């Protein structure tokens, strides 16, 4: 571990709260058989991690990779937030290097907060205006986190009124077995609806009767109550 990485690791532990670590262990489902099984926390608040990212700007790809491959959740989160920050500030060569690191390290982007805080800002940005086949490959992956990356990355497209891939990937994931995917798909459908309700409703009317209940509830969360109840009761 090089000097800068060691300093970052030390600083994280200096601002850690052991009581918070125990809460995070439960909140992020780290028990046997749960989605975050075996993950380890030291208990650092996210705003403090973001502050540390600003302090240590300028890490090399190798330094970010070292932290991304840490067994500690907060070090991986630090790496991903640093990657987002560096991606935003970098030239195309830097962006491509960070994108490649991100897409090749999905075994370490292994909880929903890690995915959600990075996928739109790295994969989404890089693939906007490029071939989006990598997201469709992730959508049929056996890896839960790759499937979540596939749909969450499209949040960047949604913000630019581009809904095609959100709907295409949502259709692939309609019968996914994981609740975390149901929530993610419903969330992105709701985000699309915030931009274009007609687009969301056209998708829902075609698919809502076979959507998992959680996915549907997330998708229609902001609908008027009467319309929401009609969807829930299958009356649309």
């Amino acid at each position: 571990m090089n000097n800068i990485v060691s300093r970052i690791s030390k600083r994280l532990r200096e601002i850690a709260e052991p009581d918070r670590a125990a809460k995070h262990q439960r909140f992020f489902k780290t028990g046997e058989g749960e989605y975050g099984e075996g993950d380890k926390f030291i208990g650092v608040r996210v705003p403090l991690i973001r502050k540390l990212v600003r302090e240590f700007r300028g890490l090399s790809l190798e330094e970010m990779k070292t932290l991304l491959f840490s067994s500690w959740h907060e070090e991986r989160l630090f790496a991903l937030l640093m990657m987002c920050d560096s991606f935003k500030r970098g030239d195309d060569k830097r962006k491509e290097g960070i994108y490649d690191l991100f897409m090749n390290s999905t075994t370490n982007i292994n909880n929903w907060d890690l995915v959600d805080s990075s996928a739109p800002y790295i994969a989404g940005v890089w693939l906007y205006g490029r071939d989006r086949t990598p997201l469709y490959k992730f959508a049929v992956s056996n890896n839960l986190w790759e499937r979540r990356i596939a749909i969450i990355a499209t949040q960047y497209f949604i913000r630019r009124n581009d809904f095609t891939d959100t709907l295409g990937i949502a259709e692939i994931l309609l019968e996914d077995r994981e609740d975390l995917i149901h929530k993610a798909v419903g969330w992105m459908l709701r985000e699309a609806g915030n931009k274009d309700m007609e687009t969301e409703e056209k998708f829902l009317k075609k698919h809502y009767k076979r959507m998992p209940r959680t996915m549907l509830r997330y998708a229609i969360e902001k609908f008027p109550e009467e319309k929401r109840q009609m969807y829930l009761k299958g009356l649309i």
Side-chain angles (χ1 to χ4, degrees):
M1 187 180 293
N2 74 18
N3 185 48
I4 294 177
V5 172
S6 296
R7 282 170 53 203
I8 292 166
S9 182
K10 181 181 178 182
R11 288 293 303 280
L12 284 168
R13 280 153 183 78
E14 287 172 352
I15 57 177
E17 304 170 47
D19 290 347
R20 183 170 295 276
K23 293 176 182 176
H24 284 172
Q25 295 282 149
R26 295 190 295 271
F27 183 71
F28 288 101
K29 307 295 184 185
T30 62
E32 185 176 353
E34 295 181 310
Y35 61 74
E37 181 176 355
D39 204 354
K40 300 190 299 182
F41 291 80
I42 56 177
V44 185
R45 298 171 187 262
V46 174
L48 296 180
I49 297 176
R50 291 187 181 277
K51 184 177 179 181
L52 213 57
V53 166
R54 294 192 294 272
E55 182 179 333
F56 282 93
R57 274 180 180 145
L59 295 191
S60 69
L61 277 175
E62 196 58 38
E63 288 162 342
M64 288 187 278
K65 182 178 180 179
T66 298
L67 288 160
L68 185 55
F69 277 69
S70 169
S71 62
W72 295 98
H73 187 99
E74 289 91 346
E75 291 187 352
R76 299 197 306 282
L77 179 57
F78 175 94
L80 288 163
L81 294 176
M82 178 64 78
M83 287 164 64
C84 291
D85 184 80
S86 184
F87 183 98
K88 183 178 180 180
R89 296 167 179 278
D91 58 18
D92 282 350
K93 183 178 180 181
R94 179 73 161 177
K95 285 178 165 68
E96 185 173 15
I98 292 170
Y99 167 78
D100 288 342
L101 174 60
F102 179 87
M103 297 297 278
N104 292 322
S105 305
T106 52
T107 54
N108 299 83
I109 307 169
N110 56 351
N111 218 310
W112 59 264
D113 64 318
L114 302 178
V115 171
D116 298 359
S117 62
S118 59
Y121 312 106
I122 297 175
V125 176
W126 182 256
L127 294 173
Y128 187 70
R130 292 183 172 87
D131 179 10
R132 298 168 190 182
T133 299
L135 297 184
Y136 286 86
K137 290 181 178 178
F138 275 12
V140 296
S141 170
N142 290 327
N143 181 323
L144 160 64
W145 307 115
E146 289 185 350
R147 300 199 305 278
R148 188 166 175 112
I149 287 169
I151 188 66
I152 296 296
T154 71
Q155 187 177 36
Y156 185 82
F157 310 155
I158 293 168
R159 290 171 182 166
R160 281 144 188 82
N161 296 306
D162 181 349
F163 312 115
T164 302
D165 297 290
T166 301
L167 302 180
I169 292 169
E171 191 165 10
I172 292 170
L173 296 173
L174 277 175
E175 297 179 6
D176 198 279
R177 64 188 180 278
E178 295 287 349
D179 189 59
L180 281 173
I181 299 300
H182 303 167
K183 291 176 179 178
V185 172
W187 173 24
M188 290 303 105
L189 290 173
R190 186 177 74 233
E191 290 293 305
N194 289 341
K195 288 282 192 176
D196 186 334
M197 180 61 74
E198 184 178 345
T199 293
E200 182 188 5
E201 284 220 70
K202 183 177 179 181
F203 182 90
L204 289 176
K205 286 174 182 177
K206 182 178 179 181
H207 297 295
Y208 84 98
K209 288 187 177 179
R210 67 187 182 100
M211 290 171 72
R213 202 67 166 175
T214 298
M215 187 185 295
L216 178 61
R217 285 185 179 278
Y218 269 62
I220 64 175
E221 185 178 31
K222 294 187 179 179
F223 282 20
E225 183 61 20
E226 184 178 355
K227 181 182 284 188
R228 202 176 70 83
Q229 287 301 323
M230 288 181 71
Y231 272 103
L232 292 172
K233 293 173 182 177
L235 300 175
I236 295 295

